[in-house]
Amino acid sequence: SYTTDTKSREENKKTIESLYSLSVDITKIRRLKEWVLLQDVTYVKEIAGILQEMGADETTVANIIERCPEAILHTPAEINSQKALWQLVCQNEKQLIKLIEQFPESFFTTEYHQNQKANILFFQELGLKNNIITRFLTSAPNIFYNPVEKNKNVLETLQRNYLNLGGSEANMKIWILKLLSQNPFILLNTSTTIQENLEFLQKNDFTDQEVLQLLSKLKGFIFQLNSTTMQKSMLFSKNVFKCSDQELKQLVLKCPALLYYSVPVLEERLEGLLKEGISVAQIRETPMVLELTTQIVQYRIKKLSALGYDIKSGNLESLNGTKKDFEATYGKIQSKKERPIFNPVAPLHIED
C-alpha cells in the first residue's frame, strides 16, 4: 500500500525532524529503506510514544525504528491492537518490548491481524504453552498469516495419519504438540503434501511403525520434502553404499538425513569425509556423520587429531552429535590421554 517509486519524490521533512529528535540514525534508514522517508503520512512520535509507554528507553526506540523503519507507517490504532494481541502470550510489557526489539519485523506486520489473533487462540486451545507461541510469533511469524482453518486442517491430517499408522489416541496430543514445537513450519505445507510423503514411505516398504519412527526423528521436516527428492536421495545412498533395499531402509531409519538432504548436499558431505581419509565402509557403519556440515567435520577431526586420535582407524561415533555431545566425547578422550598409566598413591605389591 506504500509507493516505492523514489525517482521524483522528496523526503518528508517532518518525518526527518521527528526521527532526529529520537536520535535515530537516518543514514541507516536511507541505506536500507529510503522509500519510508518519502511517505506523506508517518506516525513517528506516536509509535515512539507507544513503545516508551511499554518501558522502552530512547536507545531501544531508536534501535527498533532503525531495524524496522516501516514501523512509523502504521497508525497508533494498528500498533495498539498488535500490542493487545501479543500481550495474550507475553508475561508482561518488559518481555514484550524485549521481543519487539529483537524481532521488530514480526511485531510490525499488522496486515494479518485477524488471522494472527485466531491462530493464537487456536494454539492456546490446542495446549501449546505461551512461551512456545511467542517463539513462533518471532521465529515463524508466517504461520500466523494462514487462515486458522488451514492450520487446523494440516493438524487434523497429521492426527488422522498418526492414528492410522498405529499411534495411540492417548499419546496423540503429546506427539502433535512436540512435533509442532520442534518444527512449526509444518503448518506451511498442504494436507496433500503430507499425505503424498507418507504414502511414498509406505510404497518403499517402511512399516507403519517405521514411518511413525521417522516422523518423530525428522521432527516434521519430512513434510517439507517431496517424493521426487526423497527418491533421488535414496537412490544416491543405495549406489554409494552398494546395499540392498532392505539394508538401505535400515540406514535411513538410523540416519533420516539420507532421506531429508538433497543429492548435492549428500554428495558434498560425502566428498568432504573421503578427503579426510575416511572410508565409505566407515560412513556406512555410522551414517549419522552425514548430518554434519563439512566445516564441522573438519573442525572436529582437527581437534581429535591434536589428541593423537586417528579417525581413519577408529569409528566415527566420536564425530557425531550436537556441539554439546562432541565436547563431552572430546573431554573423555582428553582425560583418558592425560590419565597416568599407574596410580602413584596405590600401594606397590613387592615380593619379599
Side-chain angles (χ1 to χ4, degrees):
S1 59
Y2 308 110
T3 172
T4 50
D5 175 21
T6 59
K7 294 274 191 314
S8 59
R9 309 204 42 203
E10 282 185 4
E11 288 181 355
N12 182 328
K13 285 191 176 65
K14 195 180 163 203
T15 301
I16 300 293
E17 282 163 18
S18 301
L19 290 171
Y20 267 129
S21 70
L22 292 167
S23 306
V24 171
D25 184 344
I26 294 166
T27 53
K28 254 187 198 174
I29 297 178
R30 284 194 182 111
R31 196 170 65 244
L32 294 171
K33 292 181 179 172
E34 194 197 11
W35 59 272
V36 171
L37 304 174
L38 310 178
Q39 304 308 314
D40 295 331
V41 180
T42 59
Y43 302 92
V44 182
K45 286 178 178 163
E46 293 87 341
I47 301 309
I50 294 170
L51 295 171
Q52 283 160 347
E53 273 169 30
M54 282 192 265
D57 59 20
E58 191 181 271
T59 311
T60 304
V61 171
N63 189 20
I64 290 169
I65 294 173
E66 283 164 13
R67 287 190 56 199
C68 183
E70 305 95 301
I72 64 171
L73 302 177
H74 293 289
T75 66
E78 284 173 330
I79 299 312
N80 279 321
S81 296
Q82 198 71 344
K83 175 186 160 186
L85 187 63
W86 281 48
Q87 280 176 323
L88 293 174
V89 287
C90 284
Q91 293 164 359
N92 49 44
E93 288 191 340
K94 192 181 173 187
Q95 187 202 8
L96 177 53
I97 204 71
K98 201 174 169 189
L99 287 175
I100 298 171
E101 188 177 12
Q102 286 176 295
F103 307 95
E105 291 85 357
S106 302
F107 180 78
F108 289 105
T109 301
T110 61
E111 292 88 328
Y112 307 93
H113 186 81
Q114 290 311 317
N115 284 357
Q116 284 181 328
K117 187 174 185 178
N119 279 305
I120 285 174
L121 297 174
F122 166 59
F123 291 142
Q124 285 177 328
E125 278 167 32
L126 200 62
L128 276 175
K129 292 190 168 69
N130 283 342
N131 63 331
I132 290 174
I133 301 174
T134 53
R135 200 183 77 210
F136 288 179
L137 276 169
T138 52
S139 59
N142 37 355
I143 67 169
F144 292 88
Y145 308 158
N146 285 339
V148 72
E149 289 71 29
K150 197 247 175 213
N151 287 340
K152 278 183 182 172
N153 199 358
V154 169
L155 289 180
E156 278 162 13
T157 304
L158 284 169
Q159 288 170 326
R160 191 171 57 249
N161 279 294
Y162 177 77
L163 294 174
N164 290 345
L165 291 165
S168 74
E169 188 87 53
N171 290 334
M172 184 176 70
K173 191 176 178 182
I174 296 165
W175 182 79
I176 280 286
L177 292 179
K178 192 178 176 188
L179 197 63
L180 200 51
S181 51
Q182 286 173 329
N183 181 14
F185 297 105
I186 53 175
L187 293 170
L188 298 179
N189 299 297
T190 63
S191 305
T192 321
T193 309
I194 291 171
Q195 206 64 54
E196 282 170 1
N197 288 352
L198 293 175
E199 281 167 16
F200 167 81
L201 292 173
Q202 286 167 317
K203 278 177 198 160
N204 278 274
D205 295 327
F206 286 92
T207 65
D208 288 355
Q209 196 52 46
E210 287 166 343
V211 174
L212 262 188
Q213 194 186 322
L214 275 173
L215 296 193
S216 301
K217 272 193 173 181
L218 275 166
K219 300 175 182 173
F221 288 116
I222 191 167
F223 302 128
Q224 284 158 248
L225 303 173
N226 61 61
S227 50
T228 315
T229 55
M230 287 194 280
Q231 187 73 61
K232 284 178 181 170
S233 297
M234 282 176 76
L235 193 60
F236 172 77
S237 299
K238 190 179 177 182
N239 292 334
V240 165
F241 297 119
K242 298 183 172 47
C243 55
S244 67
D245 288 344
Q246 189 54 35
E247 287 167 331
L248 175 65
K249 201 174 83 162
Q250 291 313 310
L251 282 174
V252 168
L253 287 168
K254 213 172 173 183
C255 174
L258 295 176
L259 198 64
Y260 176 62
Y261 288 121
S262 65
V263 172
V265 171
L266 290 171
E267 229 163 8
E268 185 212 338
R269 291 185 180 187
L270 194 76
E271 274 172 32
L273 289 162
L274 297 176
K275 271 182 194 162
E276 295 293 335
I278 292 164
S279 68
V280 172
Q282 280 177 294
I283 300 167
R284 182 174 167 169
E285 198 59 42
T286 317
M288 294 78 76
V289 78
L290 290 165
E291 291 173 358
L292 305 168
T293 66
T294 306
Q295 289 82 351
I296 290 172
V297 166
Q298 286 168 342
Y299 167 77
R300 291 182 180 184
I301 289 175
K302 205 172 174 181
K303 279 198 85 170
L304 291 170
S305 299
L307 294 178
Y309 185 90
D310 184 14
I311 203 77
K312 291 172 214 165
S313 56
N315 85 19
L316 304 182
E317 286 293 340
S318 50
L319 287 178
N320 273 344
T322 60
K323 187 181 177 185
K324 199 177 170 186
D325 296 334
F326 174 71
E327 291 303 336
T329 307
Y330 177 78
K332 278 178 197 165
I333 295 170
Q334 194 176 31
S335 60
K336 215 181 221 177
K337 188 174 183 284
E338 289 167 359
R339 199 178 296 142
I341 294 164
F342 71 98
N343 184 347
V345 295
L348 293 175
H349 297 287
I350 301 166
E351 288 179 25
D352 294 325

